[in-house]
Each structure stands twice: as structure tokens, then as C-alpha cells.
Amino acid sequence: MAIAAAKRYWLPLVLFALGFFFQLVVLPRSFPPSHYDVLGLKRNASIDEVGVAYDELSSKLFSELDPPVTTELVKIRYAFELLTNPLWKRDYDLFGIDEQLHVIDKVVNQYGGETFSKIDLPLINASLLGLFSDAPNKLTPEAVISVIGKSKPLLIQLGSLLEGVAQTGMVELGDVQLASYLAETMFTKQPYFRKGLPALVAFPPNCSNANCYVRYDGQFSVDAIVDWMATDIIGLPRILYHSKESLAKFIVTSGRHKVKVICFSKTGERAAPFIRKAAIDYHAEASFAFVLFKELEFSLWWNMFGVESVPAFVFLKDTYSKPFVYHGALESSQFQKIMEDYKQNELPQLRSVTSMELGCDARGFSRAGNDTLTWYCLVLVGRAGRTMAQMRETMYRVRDMLMTGDDSDYARKVNASVPMVAATAVKENRLTFTWLDGDVQLKYCQFFLDSEFYKSCGPRRYENDIDVPQIFIVRYLRNSTEDNVEADKWKHFRDQYMGKDANAASQLIARYTGSDDVKEIIQWISHIIERGDTREYPYFTFTSPELVAEDSVTIWSKSQGILPSRESIKRKLKKLYFYISDLVTDPRIGPSFLLGACLSFATIWLQKNRTIQSATPGDDTTDSARRRSNRKARARRSTHGEPSSITDEEPKDAHQLLSSGSDSE
């Protein structure tokens, strides 16, 4: 009977058990006695009431001259100190903040077994009071409204201040309205901070409401917070760390035209946000890498780059150039200045993506403007090597002398004068200096150098091949009159067999065959420009080979692209964990279980009573059914064992046949 009842009422029994377990075990752990309960006071009692309650408890507990240290005594003293401090009491009443609760266990363990008078009072360090009261850049509700939703992110720090990441500010908990807006909310509608203080809240770019701001729940270290802000909030890339083996591959594969920026760190911290932003802004001119500096590898880095201490920043043009090393920490403005200097001072490389910008494409226009009819592109071509690196330095000095004139350092050093024709062309942006990687751009190089191409173009055929960098100038003349079109007698032949390109400018090529002396090169450039501007040459256009597109090399990793599915799953699991943790603290769960148990018990009981009531005597329908059932049972017992011919029922459509001798025939 008991087993049948248990089977029938298993659901309400389980709900009753869960309800009582939640109310008696789970809920008390989620809501331990408050400090007001320790003193026997109601919630939010005044400071005066706290003092009176403490005096009354002290007179009872300290009836002995010097009682031994117990947990109860320490809790009473701790509650008194916390609730008589206006700032701590405010934070505890409004947000439930009690960051020094560990003091109770610490004091009990330290002074256990001794008398209470030996405890160093006060228990709570009062020097923490007002720690952030004078912090700069405090935010008010009006200031937050004016800042959020802009293109720059906002990092709000509750209880601490972190500079140099984005727009930053601190919210004082005394500003209850704003602090409550930024806090999380319990089921009891009380605002709270899940991990206490300090707490970090970030508004991503263009975020202007509470539905899109992000809370930081990671480790509280400068490196971790900066990485979270730069990667997750601003969306800047992570710059990868390299070992000594992978760094060599990075230098080789990151592009010969790019400056290699190698940052040495001793602690392994992530790249600062301004370095990450530079990796995006200068991705066409530079590649970035980080290296963890180890004492065992000191000699390697000293011999390779000249690094003698960390932090250090190495700027390397190519493997054949002397690197520039900066020792010490760099600020954002200093780093940007160095990058701009390299961008301006480095000779640009002629590539498929830069030919139009440099004005070195017949289908494009001059850097001086679309109205310029005549312009020039000087190209230094050769294989990568020490000779090519030295020649690039020479061409940089040539360009520097033409840009600065007789006042340049090199001009004063060699006592040389700068021709006005070439200097004017450079200042007007009609003359562009660039270099071409002959190893990669074989067809383009071969087309312009003709029979001399093997000295500078294509891969080396033998190890002892001599590399000879060469210089040539292309003069471009824009097709502006019909006379030029008519004068081009080969136009019909080219349009038919080489393809029509009506926008192409006329091109004439001049090759330099002199020495690598700067003054001689400048004189040759000036002579070419003077003749190109004053003399009339046949108008001739042709289609030059396309520049080979260089593969782009990824120098960083986007945080969204590292492990997107795994990161998404981790965030969802963490969100589910927080939801379950908050659900356990909901005081409505226990009563809901008990209510469900009562309703299910009542439902089962009513169904059972209805079945019993339907089976009680006095009902005509029930009596007639019972009588029919009894008659059938007696009939089955009486006919049991008799032949089937006697017990067979007569079919409905059967009839009796008359005998042949009857009177009816």
C-alpha cells in the first residue's frame, strides 16, 4: 500500500524535497547573516543604533575581564567597525560590498586561544578610506551621456584608474544613480558587482546604451586589461611573438619592401594599443613582430641587431642594411614619429599596388596632378643583396640633395651644387624615385633593360653571379592633342596586334651607364629632364608587362579569427554559469517548488477521489452493468465443458428448415 502511494505521489514528494532543501540549505548559504543580524539590528540601521547595539553586546560578552578570542566576538567587532564608517556603510547598504571580510578568519586564526585584549584594533585598515576620493577624471551622469556613442571607446573604471588605453574615467560609488546603472542586478533588484571592486566596464565605439557595454571578468593585471581593451573592445590585432627560429622566417617572408619592426620584451606582455594601431596604419610599409628576450640569447641578439637591453625596438629595412635600435620604452608620439621618418626617408618600392600612386604607370597620372602632361619615374632595379642595399642608400642621398638643394648635409660635405632643373622637378612631384625587385619582377625588368637584364633581373643562375643594380628613367607624356595621335604612325598596328589602350601615355626610356657617384647621377638626371621638357620626341605608346602582385603576409592575428568557435562556446558557458549562480540566489525558487508540490498533490488526490466516487453503489447505470457482467460470468461457468454444438449461439440470419414430410409442402 505504501509503495503504491509513493508511486502515485512521487512528483509532489520530489518537489517538496527540493523546496525544503533549497529553503533550508541552499538559500542560507546564498544569503548568510548580515552584519546587522550579528548586532541584532534591522537592515539599514543608523550609525547611532549600531553604536548602541555594540555597547549592549559588549557589556554582555565582556562580563569577564578579558574573554578568549572567539569567532563571535571578532564578527561583532568587525560589524561595528564596518557599519560605523560612513563610506563603508554606504557601499555595504547600497551594493553589498564587503571587501575585507577575510579579516575575520585571519584574526581568528592568528589569535585563536589568546585573550581578546591582545588583538590589534581596529580590525579594518582605515587607511583605505578615501583611496579613490581624489582620483582624477571622475565621471558624472552628464559626462557619460556626452561621451558614450562616439567613435572612440570608453573605459569606465569603478574604483581604479587605468590610463593610456582609450577615453577613461572613474565612477565614484557615491553617485548612486550612475553606479547602479553600471552595476548588475540581483533577483531582489539590488545592484551589485559580481567580483567586487575595482570593476571595469567598457563602452565599445558607437555604443550608447546598457545593451552593448561590456564587463571585464578576467584577471586584474595591466597586461590582461590592456589586451582585453585593445582586442575585444577596440578590435586591434594581436602582434605575434616569435622564437629565434621563426623570426628568421618572418624577416624573409614579410616582404622586402617593408620595414621590419621587432619589439623585444622581457616579461612577455602584449603589444601596447598604439603599436597595434601602427600595425594597421603602416601595414603597407612595415611588418611587426615581438620577441621574448632571454639572457641565454643575449649574444645572438647583440650580434644580429645590436640589442643590449630591454625593452628595445629594432627597425630593419632589409637583411643587408644596418638596423636602427631604440633602447627603452616608447610613447605613442615617439613611435609614430619614428615610423613616419622611415616612411618618408625610405625609397619606395615599385609594386603592382604602388605603381599608380607613384606615377610610374602609363595608364595613370603624375603625382603632380592629372593636368600635368610630362613627368618622370626613376627606377633602380636589381637583385636583393648588399650591393643593391648600398645603391638604394646612394639613390636616397640623390633624392635628398634634390629635395633640400645646396643646404643638404651631403651637398655641403662634397661641396656640390644641385641643378635647378632636377630639383624643381622633384619639388613639383614630377620626378619620382623608386626601386624595383629584379628577382621577383623578371618580365618587367627584362622589358626595360633589354639585353642587359641578366645582370639585374631574375634569380641568380650561379652562386658567384655578379649583381649589378641599374638605373633607368621613364618619361611619360600625356596624350593631349590630336596632333600627337596623328604623329603616332604605329598606332594602328599596335591597336590591332597589341591591344588598344587609349588612356596610355607615351613612354621614352633612358638608361644610366655611369658610376655610382652622387654628383654624376644628379647631372645625368638633370640632363634627361631638361631634354625631355624642351625637345619634341616621337609620340610612341606601348604596353609594358604587368608587375607581379606580391603575396600579402599576415603579420598579426585577429582575436576574432584565432579560435572563434571555441571562444564563442566559452562565453556561452560562462554566461550559463553566471545565470545558474544567480538563479540559486533567487528566494522565489524554494516557494515555487513548494507551490508546485501542493498543486501536483491536490491534482493527484482529486483524480483518485473522482475514480472512487464513480464506482460507489446507487447508480442505475452501474448496477445494470454489474448485473450484465454477472450473468455473462454465470453463463460461461455453466457451459464450461459442454459440446460446442450446444453452446454455439444462433446466428442472426439463421432460420429453421422444415422436414419433407410436413404439411406445408
Side-chain angles (χ1 to χ4, degrees):
M1 190 69 179
I3 296 177
K7 289 182 178 180
R8 184 181 298 112
Y9 293 101
W10 70 269
L11 180 59
L13 290 175
V14 171
L15 293 177
F16 268 119
L18 289 175
F20 281 111
F21 177 77
F22 188 88
Q23 290 294 110
L24 300 177
V25 178
V26 177
L27 202 59
R29 292 183 179 180
S30 302
F31 293 93
S34 67
H35 297 302
Y36 291 100
D37 297 331
V38 171
L39 297 175
L41 297 173
K42 294 182 179 180
R43 186 80 181 184
N44 299 328
S46 65
I47 294 179
D48 294 336
E49 293 174 338
V50 171
V52 172
Y54 177 75
D55 292 338
E56 293 178 355
L57 287 174
S58 298
S59 61
K60 294 179 181 179
L61 297 175
F62 287 84
S63 56
E64 302 178 13
L65 294 178
D66 197 1
V69 175
T70 62
T71 304
E72 184 180 2
L73 286 176
V74 176
K75 286 184 177 180
I76 292 174
R77 178 66 192 186
Y78 180 88
F80 168 73
E81 293 184 10
L82 179 74
L83 298 179
T84 52
N85 187 303
L87 183 61
W88 292 337
K89 185 177 186 299
R90 179 203 68 189
D91 296 344
Y92 181 74
D93 291 343
L94 295 177
F95 303 101
I97 295 175
D98 186 10
E99 294 187 301
Q100 302 187 61
L101 188 61
H102 63 279
V103 171
I104 297 177
D105 294 334
K106 179 181 178 181
V107 171
V108 172
N109 294 332
Q110 183 177 357
Y111 297 97
E114 299 184 11
T115 57
F116 191 83
S117 60
K118 293 185 178 181
I119 297 179
D120 293 332
L121 299 178
L123 300 178
I124 305 176
N125 187 2
S127 63
L128 296 177
L129 177 62
L131 180 61
F132 307 109
S133 58
D134 298 328
N137 201 16
K138 288 185 180 180
L139 292 179
T140 61
E142 294 77 12
V144 172
I145 293 174
S146 65
V147 172
I148 62 175
K150 307 298 182 182
S151 58
K152 289 186 177 181
L154 171 66
L155 176 64
I156 295 180
Q157 305 157 75
L158 304 173
S160 67
L161 189 65
L162 180 66
E163 296 287 354
V165 176
Q167 300 182 81
T168 59
M170 193 197 80
V171 172
E172 171 61 39
L173 293 182
D175 193 339
V176 179
Q177 180 182 2
L178 184 55
S180 300
Y181 173 76
L182 297 172
E184 298 180 74
T185 305
M186 292 184 176
F187 288 98
T188 57
K189 303 302 181 182
Q190 180 184 4
Y192 78 109
F193 298 99
R194 188 182 301 276
K195 292 193 173 183
L197 295 182
L200 296 180
V201 177
F203 284 81
N206 305 317
C207 171
S208 58
N209 55 63
N211 296 327
C212 55
Y213 68 66
V214 184
R215 303 181 189 278
Y216 178 71
D217 56 4
Q219 180 184 2
F220 268 85
S221 65
V222 174
D223 181 51
I225 294 173
V226 169
D227 182 60
W228 167 74
M229 187 68 187
T231 306
D232 295 345
I233 306 303
I234 306 177
L236 297 176
R238 283 194 178 113
I239 300 177
L240 303 178
Y241 268 82
H242 290 267
S243 63
K244 59 182 180 181
E245 293 81 11
S246 63
L247 184 64
K249 182 178 179 181
F250 161 79
I251 294 175
V252 173
T253 60
S254 59
R256 296 173 182 171
H257 61 284
K258 292 186 177 183
V259 176
K260 287 74 177 175
V261 182
I262 306 171
C263 310
F264 285 84
S265 168
K266 194 172 185 178
T267 59
E269 73 273 9
R270 295 288 185 180
F274 68 86
I275 298 179
R276 301 185 187 199
K277 190 173 186 304
I280 297 177
D281 296 340
Y282 298 97
H283 73 278
E285 295 87 13
S287 299
F288 290 76
F290 262 71
V291 174
L292 182 62
F293 186 86
K294 301 177 182 178
E295 294 294 339
L296 296 176
E297 299 174 351
F298 171 80
S299 59
L300 172 66
W301 303 129
W302 167 255
N303 295 327
M304 186 178 295
F305 303 119
V307 175
E308 58 184 14
S309 62
V310 287
F313 297 84
V314 176
F315 299 85
L316 180 65
K317 292 182 180 180
D318 53 53
T319 55
Y320 302 98
S321 301
K322 183 179 180 181
F324 168 74
V325 183
Y326 182 93
H327 291 93
L330 274 175
E331 296 181 354
S332 176
S333 57
Q334 294 175 310
F335 188 81
Q336 187 174 4
K337 183 178 184 302
I338 294 176
M339 294 302 302
E340 283 296 325
D341 290 343
Y342 264 91
K343 182 178 179 180
Q344 298 297 329
N345 298 336
E346 176 63 13
L347 205 65
Q349 182 185 4
L350 180 60
R351 299 185 295 136
S352 59
V353 295
T354 61
S355 60
M356 289 288 186
E357 178 186 354
L358 295 173
C360 297
D361 196 313
R363 296 166 298 181
F365 295 89
S366 169
R367 293 169 60 234
N370 295 350
D371 297 333
T372 303
L373 300 181
T374 306
W375 71 96
Y376 304 85
C377 181
L378 185 146
V379 181
L380 169 66
V381 59
R383 301 185 186 95
R386 194 172 304 278
T387 306
M388 182 63 175
Q390 294 173 353
M391 199 62 189
R392 284 168 59 183
E393 293 293 334
T394 300
M395 296 310 300
Y396 171 73
R397 287 196 294 268
V398 170
R399 188 185 68 170
D400 181 61
M401 284 186 62
L402 293 177
M403 291 180 65
T404 57
D406 296 338
D407 295 332
S408 66
D409 295 337
Y410 189 79
R412 288 195 297 267
K413 181 179 179 180
V414 299
N415 193 22
S417 60
V418 178
M420 290 300 298
V421 176
T424 303
V426 171
K427 293 177 182 178
E428 292 177 351
N429 286 329
R430 291 197 307 119
L431 174 60
T432 300
F433 286 78
T434 182
W435 68 276
L436 183 73
D437 190 345
D439 193 358
V440 176
Q441 307 292 347
L442 173 60
K443 292 184 178 180
Y444 190 91
C445 178
Q446 181 180 358
F447 180 82
F448 282 95
L449 294 184
D450 198 14
S451 60
E452 299 293 326
F453 78 92
Y454 64 91
K455 299 179 181 179
S456 309
C457 307
R460 296 178 179 86
R461 293 174 293 180
Y462 307 101
E463 292 185 1
N464 57 353
D465 276 356
I466 299 176
D467 296 328
V468 182
Q470 301 187 61
I471 303 171
F472 63 88
I473 290 182
V474 182
R475 189 204 74 161
Y476 297 96
L477 177 63
R478 174 58 55 189
N479 182 7
S480 60
T481 64
E482 293 295 331
D483 295 337
N484 288 337
V485 177
E486 295 297 332
D488 187 2
K489 60 182 179 180
W490 298 101
K491 181 177 183 300
H492 176 73
F493 173 80
R494 288 194 314 277
D495 290 347
Q496 183 175 359
Y497 295 100
M498 300 180 64
K500 183 177 180 180
D501 192 353
N503 293 325
S506 172
Q507 302 177 70
L508 288 179
I509 304 169
R511 300 185 185 90
Y512 178 70
T513 57
S515 67
D516 57 356
D517 181 67
V518 173
K519 292 188 293 183
E520 185 177 350
I521 295 174
I522 290 178
Q523 292 296 333
W524 174 76
I525 294 173
S526 179
H527 177 69
I528 294 298
I529 294 176
E530 183 178 4
R531 294 178 61 184
D533 288 345
T534 57
R535 294 189 180 184
E536 292 186 4
Y537 293 95
Y539 188 85
F540 187 82
T541 61
F542 54 84
T543 303
S544 58
E546 295 288 340
L547 289 164
V548 177
E550 297 184 7
D551 296 333
S552 60
V553 179
T554 303
I555 60 172
W556 58 69
S557 64
K558 279 282 188 180
S559 61
Q560 296 86 348
I562 297 176
L563 290 173
S565 58
R566 184 179 300 178
E567 292 295 328
S568 177
I569 293 174
K570 286 175 62 177
R571 291 192 184 97
K572 290 180 180 179
L573 290 177
K574 185 177 291 186
K575 187 176 181 180
L576 178 62
Y577 171 76
F578 287 152
Y579 176 77
I580 295 175
S581 300
D582 294 341
L583 195 64
V584 170
T585 63
D586 188 355
R588 298 170 296 182
I589 298 298
S592 299
F593 280 135
L594 296 176
L595 179 61
C598 293
L599 292 176
S600 62
F601 180 85
T603 302
I604 296 172
W605 184 82
L606 289 175
Q607 289 178 351
K608 179 184 176 183
N609 285 350
R610 188 175 302 166
T611 303
I612 295 174
Q613 184 178 4
S614 63
T616 55
D619 190 348
D620 296 339
T621 305
T622 304
D623 292 343
S624 60
R626 187 182 299 109
R627 286 194 294 270
R628 285 195 300 271
S629 177
N630 292 336
R631 284 198 299 270
K632 290 181 180 180
R634 286 195 297 270
R636 284 195 296 270
R637 288 195 298 269
S638 61
T639 59
H640 181 68
E642 295 184 4
S644 58
S645 60
I646 299 176
T647 60
D648 285 345
E649 294 183 0
E650 184 179 44
K652 294 181 180 180
D653 57 345
H655 61 275
Q656 185 68 34
L657 293 177
L658 299 176
S659 61
S660 58
S662 64
D663 296 337
S664 62
E665 287 184 352

